[in-house]
Amino acid sequence: QAGNVELGELVKKDKVVVFMKGTPAQPMCGFSNAVVQILRMHGVDEYASYNVLEDQDLRQGVKSFSNWPTIPQVFFNGEFVGGCDILLQMHQNGDLVEELQKLGIRS
Amino acid sequence: MAITAEHIREKLTAEIGAVHVEVEDTSPNRCAASFKVLVVSPQFEGKTLLQRHRMVNSCLAEELKEIHAFEQKTLTREQWEKQNAQ
């Protein structure tokens, strides 16, 4: 379970961490793109993103670490928030603004 | 294993007490088995969005291994009625 320890460190290193397919500049999947667009809409420019397409161990590792079967995955302050559907619903119901405020990010 | 919309509906109804399930097979838009579901269940009451999605994910854990893309919306009966009233 060394991988889980490393991932535990990784998700705490930055306030906002995204595991996605592709990069924010070039998302390779519509769901990953949706997460990038939502963050952009809220003025979240500085976040850590990891491309799971470049690393199969990471792709599997993050799924078992968060016990979540799909990519993208979003973490705030080291805590798993959810995937694209959850982020989209938080954006629509206003929860996302609140959560970002807790991180000191004004959207 | 071929996953069908009907199979997903039956499983969600049986295992998490869904009273209403809408399954859209979005596979034609993508390169592999893909689904979009709306699940209404009284069991979502008092649960956070993340907990609800985890319930759906674990109910369909086996199927999700085969599914390429999966979208979900989880509502309580009350939220569902409110949405329909709009």
Side-chain angles (χ1 to χ4, degrees), chain A residues 21 31 66-70 80-82 85-86 89-90, chain B residues 30 49-50 53-54 57 64 68-74:
Chain A
K21 293 182 179 174
F31 298 107
S66 54
N67 185 27
W68 190 260
T70 51
F80 180 62
V81 177
D85 292 323
I86 289 184
Q89 282 164 59
M90 286 170 71
Chain B
R30 305 184 191 278
L49 204 48
L50 182 59
H53 283 229
R54 280 203 193 281
N57 287 345
L64 282 174
H68 173 71
F70 187 70
E71 296 164 80
Q72 57 172 305
K73 202 161 184 193
T74 50

Side-chain angles (χ1 to χ4, degrees), chain A residues 33-46:
Chain A
N33 183 42
V35 164
V36 168
Q37 297 306 329
I38 292 167
L39 290 176
R40 184 169 298 156
M41 237 183 286
H42 287 265
V44 186
D45 300 315
E46 288 184 21

Side-chain angles (χ1 to χ4, degrees), chain B residues 4-15 18 20-23 37 60:
Chain B
T4 62
E6 199 45 47
H7 170 80
I8 290 176
R9 186 199 321 277
E10 279 168 12
K11 206 159 182 194
L12 288 169
T13 306
E15 290 183 23
H20 180 81
V21 183
E22 283 172 28
V23 189
V37 301
L60 298 172

